[in-house]
Amino acid sequence: MTNERVSPLAAYRLAAGFTQESLAEQLSIDRSTIGRWERGTHAPQPWQRPDLATSLRISLTELDDILCRTKPTTEAESVLTETTNATPAADVQRSQQEWLHVRNAPGVRGRELTELAAWLYPESQRAPGGHVLAGPGWLLDQPVPLDSVRLVWADQQRPTGCSDSFEHVLPLTDRGERYAGYSRAVRDLVRPRLLENRLSYRLLDLRADHGLELSFGTTTFFEVFDVKQALAHEFKAAWLASNRSVPDWNALPLRTTIADHFDPRRLLMSPGISTLTIRRDRAGQHRFVLHERDGGKVADGGGLCHVMPAGEFQPSSVELVDLRNDFSLWRNIMREFSEEFLGNPEHDGSTPRPIDYAHEEPFRSFERARADGGLRIWHYGLVMEPLELGAVQLTVAVVDDEVFDRLFVDLVETNDEGRVIGRNGRTDMPFTGEAIDRLDPRLSASALTLLRLAWRDRERLLCD
Protein backbone atom coordinates (compact mmCIF):
# COMPACT_ATOMS: atom_id res chain seq x y z
CA MET A 1 0.00 0.00 0.00
CA THR A 2 1.37 3.43 -0.97
CA ASN A 3 0.92 6.85 0.54
CA GLU A 4 0.96 8.57 -2.86
CA ARG A 5 -1.00 11.80 -2.76
CA VAL A 6 -3.97 12.12 -5.11
CA SER A 7 -3.82 15.48 -6.86
CA PRO A 8 -6.84 17.83 -6.59
CA LEU A 9 -7.63 17.37 -10.29
CA ALA A 10 -7.47 13.58 -9.97
CA ALA A 11 -9.78 13.75 -6.95
CA TYR A 12 -12.40 15.64 -8.92
CA ARG A 13 -12.03 13.20 -11.81
CA LEU A 14 -12.65 10.28 -9.50
CA ALA A 15 -15.60 12.07 -7.88
CA ALA A 16 -17.14 12.53 -11.33
CA GLY A 17 -16.83 8.79 -11.96
CA PHE A 18 -14.07 8.87 -14.58
CA THR A 19 -10.92 6.85 -14.99
CA GLN A 20 -8.07 8.56 -16.83
CA GLU A 21 -8.96 6.46 -19.88
CA SER A 22 -12.67 7.30 -19.86
CA LEU A 23 -12.07 11.02 -19.31
CA ALA A 24 -9.52 11.08 -22.13
CA GLU A 25 -12.08 9.39 -24.39
CA GLN A 26 -14.73 11.92 -23.32
CA LEU A 27 -12.42 14.81 -24.26
CA SER A 28 -11.01 13.11 -27.40
CA ILE A 29 -7.42 13.36 -26.14
CA ASP A 30 -4.68 10.91 -25.16
CA ARG A 31 -4.67 9.32 -21.70
CA SER A 32 -1.12 10.54 -21.11
CA THR A 33 -2.39 14.13 -21.39
CA ILE A 34 -4.73 13.56 -18.45
CA GLY A 35 -1.78 12.19 -16.50
CA ARG A 36 0.33 15.28 -17.18
CA TRP A 37 -2.53 17.54 -16.11
CA GLU A 38 -2.96 15.63 -12.85
CA ARG A 39 0.77 15.67 -12.12
CA GLY A 40 0.83 19.43 -12.71
CA THR A 41 3.56 19.27 -15.35
CA HIS A 42 1.20 20.62 -18.03
CA ALA A 43 -2.09 22.52 -17.94
CA PRO A 44 -5.15 22.23 -20.21
CA GLN A 45 -5.19 24.67 -23.10
CA PRO A 46 -7.86 27.43 -23.14
CA TRP A 47 -10.09 25.65 -25.66
CA GLN A 48 -9.98 22.43 -23.61
CA ARG A 49 -11.04 23.91 -20.28
CA PRO A 50 -14.79 24.44 -20.91
CA ASP A 51 -15.27 20.77 -21.89
CA LEU A 52 -13.13 19.62 -18.96
CA ALA A 53 -15.13 21.73 -16.49
CA THR A 54 -18.42 20.42 -17.93
CA SER A 55 -17.21 16.81 -17.68
CA LEU A 56 -16.19 17.28 -14.03
CA ARG A 57 -19.44 19.15 -13.30
CA ILE A 58 -17.65 22.22 -11.94
CA SER A 59 -17.39 25.87 -12.97
CA LEU A 60 -14.46 27.35 -14.86
CA THR A 61 -13.54 29.36 -11.75
CA GLU A 62 -13.41 26.16 -9.70
CA LEU A 63 -11.33 24.48 -12.40
CA ASP A 64 -8.90 27.41 -12.39
CA ASP A 65 -8.40 27.07 -8.63
CA ILE A 66 -8.01 23.28 -8.90
CA LEU A 67 -5.35 23.57 -11.56
CA CYS A 68 -3.43 26.09 -9.45
CA ARG A 69 -3.52 23.66 -6.52
CA THR A 70 -2.35 20.76 -8.67
CA LYS A 71 1.40 20.77 -8.03
CA PRO A 72 4.16 18.40 -9.21
CA THR A 73 4.48 15.43 -6.88
CA THR A 74 7.87 13.90 -7.66
CA GLU A 75 10.65 14.10 -5.07
CA ALA A 76 12.84 16.19 -7.34
CA GLU A 77 10.03 18.63 -7.96
CA SER A 78 9.32 18.82 -4.22
CA VAL A 79 12.95 19.74 -3.57
CA LEU A 80 12.73 22.40 -6.26
CA THR A 81 9.57 23.80 -4.68
CA GLU A 82 11.23 23.94 -1.25
CA THR A 83 14.19 25.76 -2.78
CA THR A 84 11.90 28.22 -4.50
CA ASN A 85 10.02 28.79 -1.27
CA ALA A 86 13.29 29.82 0.32
CA THR A 87 13.30 33.07 -1.67
CA PRO A 88 13.95 35.87 0.84
CA ALA A 89 10.88 37.88 1.85
CA ALA A 90 12.69 41.06 0.79
CA ASP A 91 13.01 39.73 -2.78
CA VAL A 92 9.32 38.86 -2.85
CA GLN A 93 8.34 42.29 -1.58
CA ARG A 94 10.64 44.00 -4.08
CA SER A 95 9.24 41.93 -6.95
CA GLN A 96 5.64 42.76 -6.05
CA GLN A 97 6.34 46.45 -5.51
CA GLU A 98 8.15 46.73 -8.85
CA TRP A 99 5.28 44.94 -10.59
CA LEU A 100 2.71 47.31 -9.06
CA HIS A 101 4.90 50.28 -9.95
CA VAL A 102 4.94 49.25 -13.61
CA ARG A 103 1.25 48.32 -13.68
CA ASN A 104 0.27 51.71 -12.26
CA ALA A 105 2.76 53.48 -14.59
CA PRO A 106 3.43 56.72 -12.66
CA GLY A 107 2.92 59.94 -14.57
CA VAL A 108 0.47 58.52 -17.10
CA ARG A 109 -2.29 60.90 -18.17
CA GLY A 110 -5.53 59.39 -19.42
CA ARG A 111 -5.01 57.25 -22.50
CA GLU A 112 -1.43 58.45 -23.07
CA LEU A 113 0.06 54.96 -23.27
CA THR A 114 -2.64 53.78 -25.67
CA GLU A 115 -1.85 56.66 -28.01
CA LEU A 116 1.89 55.92 -27.78
CA ALA A 117 1.32 52.22 -28.48
CA ALA A 118 -0.63 53.15 -31.62
CA TRP A 119 2.55 54.78 -32.98
CA LEU A 120 4.18 51.35 -33.13
CA TYR A 121 1.95 50.52 -36.08
CA PRO A 122 1.78 52.06 -39.57
CA GLU A 123 -0.93 54.58 -40.35
CA SER A 124 -2.58 52.06 -42.68
CA GLN A 125 -3.39 49.89 -39.64
CA ARG A 126 -5.07 52.66 -37.66
CA ALA A 127 -8.76 53.55 -37.66
CA PRO A 128 -9.92 57.12 -38.43
CA GLY A 129 -8.39 59.48 -35.88
CA GLY A 130 -5.47 57.13 -35.24
CA HIS A 131 -6.52 56.24 -31.68
CA VAL A 132 -7.19 52.53 -32.29
CA LEU A 133 -6.15 49.88 -34.80
CA ALA A 134 -8.30 48.19 -37.44
CA GLY A 135 -7.40 45.21 -39.61
CA PRO A 136 -8.52 44.52 -43.19
CA GLY A 137 -12.33 44.42 -43.26
CA TRP A 138 -12.61 45.10 -39.54
CA LEU A 139 -14.14 48.58 -39.59
CA LEU A 140 -17.08 49.21 -41.91
CA ASP A 141 -17.35 52.33 -44.05
CA GLN A 142 -20.94 52.83 -42.85
CA PRO A 143 -22.81 51.47 -39.84
CA VAL A 144 -25.09 48.52 -40.66
CA PRO A 145 -28.18 47.23 -38.84
CA LEU A 146 -27.20 44.77 -36.12
CA ASP A 147 -29.23 41.95 -37.66
CA SER A 148 -27.15 42.10 -40.84
CA VAL A 149 -24.06 40.92 -38.94
CA ARG A 150 -23.88 37.13 -39.26
CA LEU A 151 -22.62 35.06 -36.34
CA VAL A 152 -21.30 31.56 -37.08
CA TRP A 153 -20.78 28.98 -34.36
CA ALA A 154 -17.67 26.83 -34.88
CA ASP A 155 -17.52 23.70 -32.74
CA GLN A 156 -13.85 23.13 -33.47
CA GLN A 157 -11.27 24.82 -31.30
CA ARG A 158 -7.67 25.58 -32.15
CA PRO A 159 -4.55 26.94 -30.49
CA THR A 160 -3.06 30.34 -31.18
CA GLY A 161 0.49 31.21 -32.11
CA CYS A 162 0.85 33.76 -29.31
CA SER A 163 3.75 33.10 -26.98
CA ASP A 164 2.82 32.04 -23.45
CA SER A 165 6.20 32.96 -21.94
CA PHE A 166 5.01 35.71 -19.59
CA GLU A 167 7.50 35.29 -16.76
CA HIS A 168 9.16 38.67 -17.31
CA VAL A 169 5.85 40.48 -16.65
CA LEU A 170 4.83 38.46 -13.57
CA PRO A 171 5.81 39.07 -9.92
CA LEU A 172 6.67 36.53 -7.24
CA THR A 173 4.00 35.10 -4.98
CA ASP A 174 4.33 35.30 -1.21
CA ARG A 175 5.81 31.78 -1.37
CA GLY A 176 8.57 32.99 -3.68
CA GLU A 177 7.21 31.29 -6.81
CA ARG A 178 6.50 33.08 -10.04
CA TYR A 179 2.78 33.78 -10.49
CA ALA A 180 1.14 31.36 -12.92
CA GLY A 181 -0.86 34.08 -14.66
CA TYR A 182 -1.46 37.81 -14.73
CA SER A 183 -5.05 37.49 -13.53
CA ARG A 184 -3.95 35.74 -10.33
CA ALA A 185 -1.43 38.47 -9.61
CA VAL A 186 -4.14 41.11 -10.11
CA ARG A 187 -6.47 39.20 -7.82
CA ASP A 188 -3.93 39.02 -5.00
CA LEU A 189 -2.07 42.33 -5.31
CA VAL A 190 -4.62 44.74 -6.85
CA ARG A 191 -7.77 43.14 -5.45
CA PRO A 192 -10.43 44.74 -7.68
CA ARG A 193 -13.99 44.21 -6.63
CA LEU A 194 -14.89 42.65 -9.98
CA LEU A 195 -12.60 39.94 -11.32
CA GLU A 196 -14.31 36.69 -12.22
CA ASN A 197 -13.33 34.02 -14.69
CA ARG A 198 -16.19 33.37 -17.07
CA LEU A 199 -16.65 31.49 -20.31
CA SER A 200 -16.30 33.90 -23.25
CA TYR A 201 -16.91 33.72 -26.98
CA ARG A 202 -13.63 33.53 -28.85
CA LEU A 203 -13.26 35.08 -32.29
CA LEU A 204 -12.03 32.48 -34.79
CA ASP A 205 -12.54 34.24 -38.11
CA LEU A 206 -13.78 37.49 -39.63
CA ARG A 207 -15.06 37.89 -43.20
CA ALA A 208 -16.28 41.08 -44.80
CA ASP A 209 -16.49 40.17 -48.49
CA HIS A 210 -20.30 39.78 -48.46
CA GLY A 211 -21.28 41.69 -45.34
CA LEU A 212 -19.76 41.21 -41.90
CA GLU A 213 -19.51 37.58 -40.75
CA LEU A 214 -17.94 36.62 -37.42
CA SER A 215 -17.10 33.03 -36.43
CA PHE A 216 -16.78 32.14 -32.75
CA GLY A 217 -15.74 29.29 -30.50
CA THR A 218 -15.05 29.52 -26.76
CA THR A 219 -12.29 30.65 -24.42
CA THR A 220 -12.26 32.04 -20.89
CA PHE A 221 -12.10 35.61 -19.63
CA PHE A 222 -8.85 34.98 -17.75
CA GLU A 223 -7.13 33.43 -20.78
CA VAL A 224 -7.75 36.58 -22.82
CA PHE A 225 -7.18 38.92 -19.87
CA ASP A 226 -3.78 37.33 -19.18
CA VAL A 227 -2.59 37.92 -22.75
CA LYS A 228 -3.90 41.50 -22.99
CA GLN A 229 -2.58 42.58 -19.61
CA ALA A 230 0.81 40.94 -20.20
CA LEU A 231 1.17 42.89 -23.46
CA ALA A 232 0.19 46.13 -21.72
CA HIS A 233 2.54 45.49 -18.79
CA GLU A 234 5.46 44.77 -21.09
CA PHE A 235 4.83 48.05 -22.95
CA LYS A 236 4.63 50.03 -19.69
CA ALA A 237 7.90 48.55 -18.43
CA ALA A 238 9.66 49.34 -21.70
CA TRP A 239 8.18 52.84 -21.72
CA LEU A 240 9.50 53.53 -18.22
CA ALA A 241 12.90 52.08 -19.13
CA SER A 242 13.12 54.29 -22.24
CA ASN A 243 12.53 57.48 -20.24
CA ARG A 244 8.86 57.66 -21.23
CA SER A 245 9.44 57.38 -24.98
CA VAL A 246 7.86 54.98 -27.47
CA PRO A 247 9.81 51.74 -26.89
CA ASP A 248 11.77 49.92 -29.55
CA TRP A 249 10.34 46.66 -30.82
CA ASN A 250 13.32 44.75 -29.42
CA ALA A 251 12.09 45.71 -25.94
CA LEU A 252 8.69 44.11 -26.62
CA PRO A 253 9.30 40.36 -27.10
CA LEU A 254 5.71 39.32 -26.41
CA ARG A 255 4.32 41.76 -28.96
CA THR A 256 7.01 40.80 -31.46
CA THR A 257 6.09 37.10 -31.38
CA ILE A 258 2.62 37.89 -32.74
CA ALA A 259 3.26 37.78 -36.47
CA ASP A 260 -0.15 39.28 -37.34
CA HIS A 261 -2.08 40.88 -34.48
CA PHE A 262 -5.26 40.99 -36.63
CA ASP A 263 -5.21 37.22 -37.17
CA PRO A 264 -7.25 35.28 -34.56
CA ARG A 265 -4.99 32.29 -35.23
CA ARG A 266 -2.03 34.29 -33.94
CA LEU A 267 -3.65 36.25 -31.13
CA LEU A 268 -6.33 35.05 -28.72
CA MET A 269 -9.33 37.39 -29.08
CA SER A 270 -12.68 37.73 -27.37
CA PRO A 271 -14.13 40.97 -28.75
CA GLY A 272 -16.34 42.72 -26.20
CA ILE A 273 -19.25 44.91 -27.21
CA SER A 274 -19.19 48.67 -26.63
CA THR A 275 -22.52 50.39 -27.27
CA LEU A 276 -23.00 54.14 -27.63
CA THR A 277 -26.56 54.82 -26.43
CA ILE A 278 -28.16 57.93 -27.94
CA ARG A 279 -31.46 59.36 -26.71
CA ARG A 280 -33.04 60.62 -29.92
CA ASP A 281 -34.96 63.80 -29.13
CA ARG A 282 -37.93 64.93 -31.24
CA ALA A 283 -36.76 68.54 -30.90
CA GLY A 284 -33.27 67.64 -32.08
CA GLN A 285 -31.60 67.91 -28.64
CA HIS A 286 -30.08 64.44 -28.79
CA ARG A 287 -28.06 63.16 -25.85
CA PHE A 288 -25.88 60.16 -25.01
CA VAL A 289 -24.91 58.23 -21.87
CA LEU A 290 -21.34 58.16 -20.59
CA HIS A 291 -19.76 55.97 -17.92
CA GLU A 292 -16.66 56.58 -15.78
CA ARG A 293 -15.07 53.32 -14.71
CA ASP A 294 -13.98 53.06 -11.08
CA GLY A 295 -10.40 51.81 -10.74
CA GLY A 296 -11.24 50.28 -7.37
CA LYS A 297 -13.99 48.13 -8.84
CA VAL A 298 -12.64 47.02 -12.21
CA ALA A 299 -9.38 45.36 -13.18
CA ASP A 300 -8.59 47.69 -16.07
CA GLY A 301 -9.74 50.95 -17.63
CA GLY A 302 -10.26 52.71 -14.29
CA GLY A 303 -10.54 56.50 -14.41
CA LEU A 304 -11.40 56.71 -18.11
CA CYS A 305 -14.85 57.41 -19.52
CA HIS A 306 -16.52 54.95 -21.83
CA VAL A 307 -19.73 54.58 -23.76
CA MET A 308 -22.48 52.71 -21.99
CA PRO A 309 -23.27 49.87 -21.85
CA ALA A 310 -20.07 47.94 -22.54
CA GLY A 311 -19.14 44.41 -21.63
CA GLU A 312 -17.68 41.08 -22.59
CA PHE A 313 -19.28 38.95 -25.27
CA GLN A 314 -20.01 35.84 -23.22
CA PRO A 315 -22.78 33.43 -22.24
CA SER A 316 -24.42 33.66 -18.86
CA SER A 317 -23.03 30.24 -17.77
CA VAL A 318 -20.95 27.26 -18.94
CA GLU A 319 -24.07 25.20 -19.60
CA LEU A 320 -24.46 24.14 -23.23
CA VAL A 321 -28.02 25.48 -23.36
CA ASP A 322 -26.81 28.94 -22.24
CA LEU A 323 -23.84 28.80 -24.60
CA ARG A 324 -26.27 28.58 -27.53
CA ASN A 325 -29.15 30.61 -26.04
CA ASP A 326 -26.88 33.62 -25.36
CA PHE A 327 -24.95 33.45 -28.65
CA SER A 328 -26.41 36.74 -29.85
CA LEU A 329 -25.01 40.27 -29.92
CA TRP A 330 -28.43 41.72 -29.13
CA ARG A 331 -29.00 39.46 -26.13
CA ASN A 332 -25.60 40.40 -24.72
CA ILE A 333 -26.37 44.09 -25.21
CA MET A 334 -29.72 43.63 -23.45
CA ARG A 335 -28.03 42.00 -20.46
CA GLU A 336 -25.60 44.92 -20.23
CA PHE A 337 -28.49 47.42 -20.41
CA SER A 338 -30.14 45.56 -17.54
CA GLU A 339 -26.99 45.57 -15.39
CA GLU A 340 -25.42 48.96 -16.18
CA PHE A 341 -28.50 51.14 -16.78
CA LEU A 342 -30.94 49.57 -14.32
CA GLY A 343 -28.54 48.25 -11.69
CA ASN A 344 -29.85 44.68 -11.87
CA PRO A 345 -27.58 41.87 -10.60
CA GLU A 346 -25.32 40.34 -13.20
CA HIS A 347 -27.04 37.64 -15.22
CA ASP A 348 -24.43 34.99 -14.45
CA GLY A 349 -26.34 31.78 -14.96
CA SER A 350 -27.04 31.34 -11.24
CA THR A 351 -30.68 30.53 -11.99
CA PRO A 352 -31.52 26.89 -12.84
CA ARG A 353 -32.90 27.71 -16.32
CA PRO A 354 -31.86 29.74 -19.34
CA ILE A 355 -32.89 33.39 -19.59
CA ASP A 356 -36.28 33.74 -21.27
CA TYR A 357 -35.59 36.88 -23.28
CA ALA A 358 -39.09 36.93 -24.77
CA HIS A 359 -40.97 37.01 -21.48
CA GLU A 360 -38.66 38.07 -18.62
CA GLU A 361 -38.28 41.75 -17.76
CA PRO A 362 -36.56 43.96 -18.67
CA PHE A 363 -35.77 41.93 -21.79
CA ARG A 364 -39.40 41.68 -22.82
CA SER A 365 -39.65 45.49 -22.88
CA PHE A 366 -36.35 45.82 -24.77
CA GLU A 367 -37.55 43.32 -27.36
CA ARG A 368 -40.89 45.10 -27.79
CA ALA A 369 -39.24 48.51 -28.16
CA ARG A 370 -36.96 47.16 -30.86
CA ALA A 371 -39.76 45.37 -32.67
CA ASP A 372 -41.81 48.58 -32.66
CA GLY A 373 -38.90 50.58 -34.10
CA GLY A 374 -38.33 52.80 -31.05
CA LEU A 375 -34.93 51.22 -30.38
CA ARG A 376 -32.51 50.63 -33.25
CA ILE A 377 -29.07 49.01 -33.10
CA TRP A 378 -26.22 49.60 -35.53
CA HIS A 379 -22.85 47.84 -35.91
CA TYR A 380 -19.59 49.45 -37.08
CA GLY A 381 -17.40 46.35 -37.04
CA LEU A 382 -14.31 45.83 -34.89
CA VAL A 383 -11.32 47.86 -33.71
CA MET A 384 -8.35 47.01 -31.49
CA GLU A 385 -7.01 48.90 -28.50
CA PRO A 386 -3.26 49.35 -29.25
CA LEU A 387 -1.91 48.98 -25.70
CA GLU A 388 -3.54 45.64 -24.89
CA LEU A 389 -4.27 44.47 -28.45
CA GLY A 390 -7.81 43.80 -27.28
CA ALA A 391 -10.53 43.57 -29.92
CA VAL A 392 -13.79 45.51 -29.44
CA GLN A 393 -17.05 45.51 -31.38
CA LEU A 394 -18.47 49.02 -31.85
CA THR A 395 -22.24 49.39 -31.81
CA VAL A 396 -24.75 52.24 -31.50
CA ALA A 397 -28.20 52.09 -29.90
CA VAL A 398 -30.57 54.88 -30.95
CA VAL A 399 -33.61 55.12 -28.66
CA ASP A 400 -36.53 57.48 -29.25
CA ASP A 401 -36.97 59.88 -26.35
CA GLU A 402 -40.32 58.58 -25.08
CA VAL A 403 -39.08 54.98 -25.36
CA PHE A 404 -35.82 55.84 -23.59
CA ASP A 405 -37.67 57.56 -20.75
CA ARG A 406 -39.95 54.57 -20.34
CA LEU A 407 -37.27 51.86 -20.51
CA PHE A 408 -34.77 53.70 -18.32
CA VAL A 409 -36.99 55.58 -15.91
CA ASP A 410 -34.97 53.92 -13.15
CA LEU A 411 -31.57 54.73 -14.68
CA VAL A 412 -28.99 54.41 -11.89
CA GLU A 413 -26.26 56.96 -11.23
CA THR A 414 -23.76 54.35 -10.01
CA ASN A 415 -23.38 50.66 -10.78
CA ASP A 416 -20.97 47.82 -10.07
CA GLU A 417 -18.33 49.23 -12.43
CA GLY A 418 -18.46 53.00 -11.86
CA ARG A 419 -20.74 55.99 -12.25
CA VAL A 420 -22.80 57.64 -14.94
CA ILE A 421 -21.61 61.15 -15.68
CA GLY A 422 -23.68 64.04 -17.00
CA ARG A 423 -24.10 67.77 -17.07
CA ASN A 424 -26.44 70.20 -15.30
CA GLY A 425 -27.85 67.53 -13.00
CA ARG A 426 -28.64 65.09 -15.81
CA THR A 427 -27.32 61.56 -16.27
CA ASP A 428 -26.46 62.10 -19.93
CA MET A 429 -24.43 64.39 -22.17
CA PRO A 430 -25.42 66.48 -25.24
CA PHE A 431 -24.65 64.64 -28.46
CA THR A 432 -22.79 67.50 -30.13
CA GLY A 433 -19.41 67.96 -31.74
CA GLU A 434 -18.45 70.46 -29.04
CA ALA A 435 -19.27 68.02 -26.22
CA ILE A 436 -17.21 65.28 -27.86
CA ASP A 437 -14.26 67.66 -28.25
CA ARG A 438 -14.43 68.72 -24.61
CA LEU A 439 -14.68 65.14 -23.39
CA ASP A 440 -11.83 63.96 -25.63
CA PRO A 441 -9.11 63.81 -22.91
CA ARG A 442 -11.30 61.76 -20.57
CA LEU A 443 -12.44 59.18 -23.12
CA SER A 444 -10.98 55.76 -23.79
CA ALA A 445 -9.53 55.35 -27.28
CA SER A 446 -12.34 53.10 -28.54
CA ALA A 447 -15.04 55.32 -27.00
CA LEU A 448 -13.60 58.41 -28.67
CA THR A 449 -13.39 56.60 -32.00
CA LEU A 450 -16.99 55.39 -31.74
CA LEU A 451 -18.30 58.83 -30.77
CA ARG A 452 -16.53 60.51 -33.68
CA LEU A 453 -17.80 57.90 -36.13
CA ALA A 454 -21.35 58.31 -34.84
CA TRP A 455 -21.11 62.09 -35.06
CA ARG A 456 -19.87 61.78 -38.64
CA ASP A 457 -22.80 59.48 -39.49
CA ARG A 458 -25.42 61.20 -37.33
CA GLU A 459 -27.89 61.80 -40.17
CA ARG A 460 -27.92 58.10 -41.02
CA LEU A 461 -28.14 56.97 -37.40
CA LEU A 462 -30.78 59.44 -36.25
CA CYS A 463 -33.13 59.31 -39.22
CA ASP A 464 -36.68 58.02 -38.72
Side-chain angles (χ1 to χ4, degrees), residues 37 70 80-81 92 97 108 118 123-124 151 158 174 193 209 212 222 265 331 353-354 377 393:
W37 291 352
T70 301
L80 177 62
T81 299
V92 170
Q97 288 177 344
V108 172
E123 188 175 355
S124 60
L151 299 189
R158 57 173 182 248
D174 289 344
R193 178 179 171 187
D209 44 359
L212 187 60
F222 278 1
R265 294 169 296 184
R331 289 183 173 180
R353 56 183 176 78
I377 307 286
Q393 300 180 70

Side-chain angles (χ1 to χ4, degrees), residues 32-189:
S32 62
T33 301
I34 301 293
R36 287 193 292 271
W37 291 352
E38 294 183 352
R39 290 192 299 274
T41 58
H42 291 76
Q45 295 295 324
W47 60 92
Q48 295 170 319
R49 297 190 183 197
D51 288 341
L52 177 59
T54 299
S55 299
L56 300 181
R57 298 192 292 275
I58 59 178
S59 69
L60 282 168
T61 301
E62 291 173 312
L63 178 60
D64 183 59
D65 288 336
I66 291 167
L67 292 173
C68 287
R69 288 189 283 113
T70 301
K71 299 295 183 182
T73 57
T74 68
E75 181 178 353
E77 288 164 333
S78 297
V79 171
L80 177 62
T81 299
E82 291 173 3
T83 303
T84 303
N85 289 344
T87 303
D91 290 345
V92 170
Q93 184 179 23
R94 185 183 308 109
S95 171
Q96 295 180 358
Q97 288 177 344
E98 289 176 354
W99 183 84
L100 288 168
H101 176 79
V102 171
R103 177 174 172 81
N104 296 328
V108 172
R109 298 181 299 277
R111 60 174 190 275
E112 176 184 358
L113 293 181
T114 295
E115 299 285 359
L116 291 177
W119 284 359
L120 291 170
Y121 302 94
E123 188 175 355
S124 60
Q125 294 186 6
R126 300 180 212 153
H131 309 292
V132 294
L133 310 177
W138 276 44
L139 193 60
L140 306 178
D141 294 331
Q142 294 280 332
V144 298
L146 186 69
D147 287 342
S148 70
V149 178
R150 300 186 303 277
L151 299 189
V152 177
W153 178 254
D155 286 321
Q156 77 275 11
Q157 301 292 349
R158 57 173 182 248
T160 62
C162 182
S163 168
D164 59 355
S165 180
F166 296 157
E167 286 194 1
H168 65 294
V169 298
L170 296 172
L172 297 175
T173 69
D174 289 344
R175 296 181 59 185
E177 304 165 347
R178 189 70 57 183
Y179 267 98
Y182 204 95
S183 53
R184 299 193 70 84
V186 171
R187 181 199 64 181
D188 292 350
L189 305 180

Side-chain angles (χ1 to χ4, degrees), residues 305-448:
C305 294
H306 203 66
V307 296
M308 183 174 166
E312 302 296 320
F313 183 33
Q314 55 188 198
S316 56
S317 83
V318 299
E319 298 295 334
L320 181 60
V321 63
D322 289 319
L323 191 66
R324 299 303 174 91
N325 187 53
D326 299 333
F327 186 52
S328 158
L329 301 178
W330 168 232
R331 289 183 173 180
N332 271 251
I333 292 171
M334 281 198 291
R335 296 208 311 269
E336 294 296 336
F337 269 130
S338 173
E339 294 161 12
E340 294 190 14
F341 275 60
L342 302 178
N344 291 324
E346 186 171 5
H347 302 278
D348 58 2
S350 56
T351 57
R353 56 183 176 78
I355 298 171
D356 185 349
Y357 292 95
H359 298 96
E360 292 181 27
E361 290 293 352
F363 310 116
R364 178 172 177 269
S365 295
F366 294 153
E367 293 276 21
R368 178 177 297 176
R370 193 171 178 218
D372 292 342
L375 190 159
R376 299 171 293 285
I377 307 286
W378 303 81
H379 201 292
Y380 268 103
L382 283 73
V383 297
M384 178 175 282
E385 291 272 0
L387 181 62
E388 300 178 345
L389 295 186
V392 184
Q393 300 180 70
L394 302 184
T395 63
V396 179
V398 178
V399 190
D400 290 343
D401 48 10
E402 70 276 10
V403 177
F404 185 100
D405 295 342
R406 182 176 70 250
L407 293 176
F408 305 123
V409 62
D410 295 321
L411 177 66
V412 298
E413 295 186 9
T414 60
N415 56 37
D416 285 342
E417 298 183 3
R419 66 185 184 94
V420 181
I421 65 172
R423 182 184 176 198
N424 297 331
R426 295 180 61 110
T427 51
D428 53 20
M429 302 294 292
F431 184 53
T432 63
E434 179 192 9
I436 296 171
D437 289 341
R438 288 183 177 277
L439 289 165
D440 181 327
R442 300 179 62 186
L443 296 169
S444 69
S446 58
L448 176 59

Side-chain angles (χ1 to χ4, degrees), residues 190-206:
V190 181
R191 300 178 182 175
R193 178 179 171 187
L194 299 176
L195 185 65
E196 179 184 0
N197 199 16
R198 295 270 299 274
L199 194 66
S200 297
Y201 294 113
R202 173 190 171 188
L203 183 67
L204 296 176
D205 196 14
L206 180 152

